[in-house]
Amino acid sequence: DAGVTQSPTHLIKTRGQQVTLRCSPKSGHDTVSWYQQALGQGPQFIFQYYEEEERQRGNFPDRFSGHQFPNYSSELNVNALLLGDSALYLCASSRGRFYEQYFGPGTRLTVT
Amino acid sequence: AQTVTQSQPEMSVQEAETVTLSCTYDTSESDYYLFWYKQPPSRQMILVIRQEAYKQQNATENRFSVNFQKAAKSFSLKISDSQLGDAAMYFCAYRRAEIQGAQKLVFGQGTRLTINP
């Protein structure tokens, strides 16, 4: 039973560029949440997708957007990258919006 | 808004001994869940233990147990018989229990636990 997978593992981008991160949920899960974890900090909630819709959003600008596909996988897009966007981006999946969240290994994004 | 505070940036313990990590939280909700997650250097966030606020009994998972004090809004994690594999960042997290709305996790800043052989 595959757990939550994320790609790529590492990514280096330049300021002003755009990036897309991908997440495949654990088998049987239909809800995906995205978190940003800056170095030395706890994860911060970005948004959650359920039934292909954004259900709730954290305190992140519109440069952060997402999508959920019919197979429940999800993408996180960040436009006009800033140095401050450098972080570990974690994806978590759950079976429905109210059950335990299982995390993927994360994507380390570095913006130079 | 709910907040979670971990006041111990770093802790260390001798192998086989017991260590307690502290966590306090602030909420106006009466029903919620609390969690401890472990994040080793591999970065994967692993659920260690969870506690439902409506349950008075403290949760236990093998060597891991919690001391949940609802009135004090305190939720500490005790690790008994510490092992080298327990070395990691530990995060305390809160989640509302309401049916409506997305159930985001609110995390503390983390405590780095070192195990000395």
Side-chain angles (χ1 to χ4, degrees):
Chain A
D1 178 23
V4 180
T5 60
Q6 292 186 243
S7 63
T9 303
H10 297 92
L11 203 52
I12 299 175
K13 290 287 188 177
T14 303
R15 275 180 299 176
Q17 287 188 318
Q18 178 264 346
V19 69
T20 297
L21 311 181
R22 295 176 175 82
C23 172
S24 291
K26 183 178 170 66
S27 178
H29 288 188
D30 57 7
T31 301
V32 173
S33 302
W34 287 93
Y35 294 82
Q36 180 195 64
Q37 186 178 16
L39 193 62
Q41 302 294 317
Q44 298 290 317
F45 176 75
I46 303 175
F47 42 53
Q48 184 182 85
Y49 278 85
Y50 173 69
E51 292 184 335
E52 300 182 48
E53 290 189 17
E54 182 182 297
R55 296 294 174 165
Q56 190 173 2
R57 188 180 187 89
N59 189 26
F60 280 81
D62 291 345
R63 298 186 298 109
F64 289 77
S65 63
H67 188 77
Q68 185 178 36
F69 298 93
N71 67 353
Y72 309 120
S73 66
S74 176
E75 288 182 350
L76 164 64
N77 301 293
V78 187
N79 295 322
L81 284 167
L82 303 174
L83 294 179
D85 295 332
S86 295
L88 179 67
Y89 288 85
L90 296 168
C91 168
S93 73
S94 58
R95 181 174 58 86
R97 290 182 289 156
F98 317 112
Y99 292 88
E100 300 310 336
Q101 295 185 22
Y102 291 80
F103 284 82
T107 293
R108 171 74 65 191
L109 172 64
T110 302
V111 182
T112 62
Chain B
Q2 296 83 20
T3 59
V4 177
T5 302
Q6 294 178 248
S7 58
Q8 305 157 315
E10 296 184 1
M11 292 282 286
S12 64
V13 65
Q14 290 296 124
E15 192 177 3
E17 294 192 346
T18 296
V19 63
T20 299
L21 308 183
S22 301
C23 172
T24 59
Y25 59 94
D26 187 27
T27 182
S28 58
E29 306 289 333
S30 59
D31 197 13
Y32 48 86
Y33 298 96
L34 295 166
F35 306 86
W36 279 98
Y37 280 89
K38 169 185 177 181
Q39 188 178 41
S42 66
R43 309 182 320 201
Q44 185 116 22
M45 196 77 76
I46 302 165
L47 178 64
V48 174
I49 198 166
R50 81 175 232 171
Q51 174 78 43
E52 291 88 344
Y54 65 88
K55 289 187 177 179
Q56 293 186 338
Q57 186 173 6
N58 290 322
T60 299
E61 287 288 341
N62 300 314
R63 298 182 295 107
F64 299 87
S65 62
V66 299
N67 183 5
F68 173 48
Q69 301 290 326
K70 190 173 184 179
K73 296 182 181 175
S74 171
F75 182 61
S76 61
L77 173 70
K78 184 172 83 171
I79 306 174
S80 303
D81 186 24
S82 298
Q83 301 176 0
L84 295 178
D86 295 333
M89 282 291 289
Y90 284 81
F91 291 96
C92 178
Y94 166 99
R95 193 189 86 196
R96 293 172 64 184
E98 289 184 5
I99 294 299
Q100 297 302 320
Q103 301 305 300
K104 69 177 184 180
L105 289 166
V106 178
F107 286 88
Q109 306 94 315
T111 296
R112 182 174 302 281
L113 178 64
T114 301
I115 312 296
N116 300 312

